[in-house]
């Protein structure tokens, strides 16, 4: 199922000096949509996760930033002195660089659709970048209706072949970045995924067993533990999950 063969050009790149640097907070969350691609291909990627450094870049006037942006992730292409912000734009760029972008234009568009579904679900679970915290009524609505529907949408995308085909794409890795990371950090939601999208759970298990990616995730877990999105919003999510378990 998984295309883990790296083209010779990328094999050479994997042995060379890194040419990309990812600026993102010291948690996986959105950053792992980028870093997991590099890890899967075993291509080096530099990381800048200093809160002070990233906060300083965010506070610059847009006219002074390398690329005008509100928040990370930001990708720097070192040999070209170019920068890209917005997670989906970065993933689309790196997918082409890492041979994870389908040649067929329709297939590429469907992969982008899956990535945007991932991004939408991230926005929901972190309450629009932590602009508000979870309350009990909204969380119950999310976990009992919105989250199951999202999981079924991804399961149907798998059934229709948008993900899970023979050749690995950025959409497959994005689904793993979404649900693999979610269930690792918030294991209370693993039963939700198993019940609503068992095919997606199996796909994540297979992608996550890729040796280079498995090593990278283990390194992240060693460094960050089970941190998910961080800050008050993560505390809010965990409070809701604890209340669910106390019912």
């Amino acid at each position: 199922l998984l295309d883990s063969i790296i083209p010779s050009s990328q094999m050479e790149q994997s042995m060379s000096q890194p040419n990309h640097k990812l600026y993102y907070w010291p948690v996986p969350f959105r950053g792992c949509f980028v870093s997991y691609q590099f890890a899967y291909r075993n291509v080096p990627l530099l990381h800048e996760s200093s809160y002070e450094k990233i906060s300083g870049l965010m506070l610059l006037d847009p006219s002074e930033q390398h690329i005008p942006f509100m928040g990370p992730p930001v990708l720097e292409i070192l040999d070209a002195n170019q920068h890209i912000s917005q997670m989906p734009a970065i993933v689309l760029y790196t997918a082409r660089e890492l041979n994870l972008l389908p040649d067929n234009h329709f297939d590429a568009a469907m992969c982008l659709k899956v990535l945007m579904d991932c991004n939408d679900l991230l926005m929901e679970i972190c309450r629009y970048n932590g602009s508000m915290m979870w309350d009990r009524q909204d969380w119950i609505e999310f976990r009992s209706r919105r989250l199951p529907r999202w999981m079924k949408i991804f399961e149907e995308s798998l059934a229709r072949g948008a993900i899970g085909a023979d050749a690995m794409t950025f959409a497959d890795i994005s689904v793993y970045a979404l649900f693999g990371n979610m269930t690792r950090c918030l294991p209370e939601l693993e039963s939700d995924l198993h019940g609503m999208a068992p095919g997606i759970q199996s796909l994540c298990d297979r992608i996550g067993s890729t040796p280079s990616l498995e090593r990278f995730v283990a390194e992240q877990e060693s460094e960050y533990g089970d941190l998910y999105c961080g800050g008050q919003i993560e505390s809010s999510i965990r409070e809701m999950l604890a209340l669910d378990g106390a019912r």
Side-chain angles (χ1 to χ4, degrees):
L1 173 68
L2 301 182
D3 173 24
S4 59
I5 299 175
I6 305 175
S8 59
S9 61
Q10 289 172 21
M11 184 67 74
E12 292 170 2
Q13 183 182 0
S14 69
M15 303 299 292
S16 66
Q17 292 297 316
N19 190 38
H20 299 86
K21 180 188 285 189
L22 179 67
Y23 295 78
Y24 194 66
W25 307 117
V27 294
F29 205 52
R30 279 192 178 85
C32 71
F33 283 76
V34 182
S35 60
Y36 284 4
Q37 289 189 86
F38 283 84
Y40 177 80
R41 286 301 197 201
N42 201 26
V43 172
L45 172 67
L46 296 175
H47 292 83
E48 175 57 73
S49 58
S50 164
Y51 181 84
E52 292 75 15
K53 174 74 171 179
I54 294 171
S55 297
L57 294 173
M58 287 174 59
L59 291 173
L60 290 173
D61 187 85
S63 65
E64 299 176 333
Q65 293 175 321
H66 289 297
I67 184 166
F69 76 102
M70 182 66 74
V74 170
L75 184 76
E76 180 180 3
I77 305 152
L78 298 173
D79 66 359
N81 192 29
Q82 294 175 325
H83 297 74
I84 307 172
S85 66
Q86 294 286 6
M87 183 268 284
I90 297 171
V91 168
L92 195 61
Y93 170 82
T94 54
R96 185 178 296 279
E97 292 289 294
L98 298 169
N99 195 31
L100 292 167
L101 181 69
D103 293 328
N104 181 277
H105 289 179
F106 179 80
D107 291 344
M110 290 304 295
C111 286
L112 181 59
K113 182 267 187 197
V114 170
L115 174 61
M116 299 311 295
D117 284 343
C118 293
N119 201 43
D120 284 351
L121 179 48
L122 288 183
M123 289 291 288
E124 287 199 33
I125 197 169
C126 74
R127 300 286 271 174
Y128 304 94
N129 297 325
S131 61
M132 63 187 84
M133 299 297 108
W134 283 108
D135 60 52
R136 196 69 188 133
Q137 181 177 349
D138 287 345
W139 175 260
I140 291 172
E141 166 73 5
F142 172 73
R143 191 173 183 184
S144 65
R145 190 178 73 84
R146 296 286 297 180
L147 183 58
R149 179 171 178 83
W150 272 120
M151 290 176 173
K152 289 178 180 179
I153 287 171
F154 284 98
E155 187 79 352
E156 187 61 26
S157 295
L158 175 64
R160 298 189 189 192
I163 48 180
D166 289 340
M168 178 65 66
T169 70
F170 71 89
D172 297 292
I173 296 179
S174 295
V175 168
Y176 174 69
L178 175 68
F179 288 114
N181 189 53
M182 181 189 295
T183 56
R184 180 184 67 81
C185 298
L186 307 172
E188 299 92 334
L189 296 178
E190 187 170 2
S191 61
D192 302 55
L193 185 63
H194 179 74
M196 296 295 168
I200 292 296
Q201 186 179 44
S202 296
L203 177 65
C204 289
D205 289 343
R206 292 195 294 273
I207 295 172
S209 67
T210 305
S212 58
L213 184 53
E214 189 174 33
R215 285 193 302 271
F216 181 78
V217 173
E219 290 169 2
Q220 282 202 318
E221 190 168 21
S222 176
E223 186 170 1
Y224 304 133
D226 63 355
L227 274 175
Y228 181 56
C229 56
Q232 291 180 317
I233 185 57
E234 178 165 342
S235 297
S236 178
I237 294 169
R238 293 190 184 279
E239 180 184 355
M240 294 300 108
L241 289 170
L243 290 172
D244 288 346
R247 286 187 300 177

